[in-house]
Amino acid sequence: MEEKKPWYKRPFLIMSLILIGLIVVVQIVILVSPGDSDSAPTATKSNSYDDDYDADDDSYDDESDVSSDESSSSSTDFGTDTKTSLANLKADISAIPKENYDNIENSTLEKMDFDPTGANPSASSQISAAMNSLKNIQKLADDAKELANKPDSDYTQNDKNKLTNYSNVLNEYLLAFKDYATVTYQDKYTSEDPSTSQSDKQLLIDEMNTARSNWTDKKNQWLNQYNEIINQQ
């Protein structure tokens, strides 16, 4: 009786098993690869869409926050009622009574009218007084400009605009007066000196008249603004 050989000693059987194994592996690769290929792009596309959507959401939220902030700011900055706003406006512009500016002008111009030469024993102290007056006018002009920085919350927007305009015209009037006072200080005595030639006198007089005209115009603009606000009901 013929003895049976073990399976691993049968070349044909071994080759058949190897071939079958290769066929199975190839089939698995064919079946798996398309599925992976299709699923990967889908996942990528899905993630990309989610990212774009999230970005848009963030952007929308940011815009909403900005809009909310702006709305909140506009509703609170000018939140005072009309009556209180007008009372604040009148109080601010009349902190220095209108009549006081006339007194300041007269006092300043008096200090500018003196003999600045060495023949005047009081010249030194008079010059100091004149310079101090000009500094005071500049301080008033600077303070006038600061009126525009009053808190918005004290006014309606319309009244804050009026205060800002008033601040500008008051500042310009005071600077124009300071310029006229300075020109007077520099020119008046020389224009009245008999030793000054007629042509030079006329130049000095013209310069003072030009400065005076500008000061008068600016003062009238300021007075119009002042009276309009004070008389507002």
Side-chain angles (χ1 to χ4, degrees):
M1 185 171 122
E2 183 179 358
E3 183 181 357
K4 291 184 179 181
K5 296 182 180 180
W7 65 271
Y8 56 84
K9 291 186 178 182
R10 298 180 181 181
F12 180 77
L13 179 59
I14 292 172
M15 293 297 294
S16 297
L17 291 174
I18 292 173
L19 182 59
I20 291 171
L22 290 174
I23 292 172
V24 171
V25 170
V26 170
Q27 289 296 325
I28 291 173
V29 171
I30 292 174
L31 291 173
V32 172
S33 295
D36 292 343
S37 176
D38 291 340
S39 62
T42 302
T44 301
K45 183 176 181 181
S46 176
N47 290 337
S48 175
Y49 176 80
D50 289 343
D51 290 343
D52 291 343
Y53 182 80
D54 290 343
D56 290 341
D57 278 353
D58 291 343
S59 176
Y60 178 81
D61 290 342
D62 291 343
E63 291 173 359
S64 297
D65 291 342
V66 171
S67 176
S68 176
D69 290 344
E70 290 177 350
S71 175
S72 174
S73 175
S74 63
S75 64
T76 58
D77 284 353
F78 299 100
T80 306
D81 63 274
T82 303
K83 184 177 180 180
T84 302
S85 175
L86 180 57
N88 290 337
L89 179 60
K90 289 183 177 183
D92 285 333
I93 72 165
S94 59
I96 299 178
K98 180 176 65 173
E99 296 75 15
N100 282 23
Y101 290 100
D102 290 332
N103 296 333
I104 291 169
E105 290 175 1
N106 293 333
S107 174
T108 300
L109 293 177
E110 284 177 7
K111 291 181 173 67
M112 301 299 156
D113 187 13
F114 67 97
D115 175 6
T117 67
N120 178 9
S122 302
S124 179
S125 60
Q126 287 178 306
I127 290 173
S128 295
M131 293 300 100
N132 286 334
S133 290
L134 294 177
K135 288 179 181 178
N136 289 337
I137 300 299
Q138 182 63 56
K139 177 64 166 56
L140 288 173
D142 293 341
D143 290 345
K145 199 68 175 175
E146 285 299 312
L147 283 174
N149 296 326
K150 293 283 186 176
D152 292 344
S153 56
D154 290 345
Y155 310 92
T156 62
Q157 186 164 11
N158 185 50
D159 283 344
K160 183 58 186 290
N161 290 340
K162 289 181 179 179
L163 180 65
T164 300
N165 291 335
Y166 177 83
S167 168
N168 288 332
V169 295
L170 177 56
N171 171 265
E172 290 175 357
Y173 147 57
L174 290 168
L175 291 179
F177 173 68
K178 180 190 174 186
D179 182 59
Y180 172 68
T182 302
V183 170
T184 298
Y185 165 74
Q186 295 171 342
D187 296 352
K188 189 174 187 297
Y189 178 80
T190 305
S191 69
E192 295 173 351
D193 188 344
S195 64
T196 303
S197 68
Q198 192 60 40
S199 60
D200 287 343
K201 282 184 179 182
Q202 191 59 51
L203 288 173
L204 296 172
I205 291 171
D206 289 346
E207 184 177 28
M208 286 189 291
N209 286 341
T210 298
R212 183 183 183 88
S213 177
N214 185 52
W215 157 45
T216 302
D217 288 344
K218 296 297 185 182
K219 183 176 182 178
N220 286 335
Q221 291 176 31
W222 160 66
L223 284 173
N224 289 337
Q225 287 277 337
Y226 182 94
N227 292 330
E228 180 180 338
I229 293 172
I230 289 297
N231 294 328
Q232 185 177 339
Q233 300 297 324

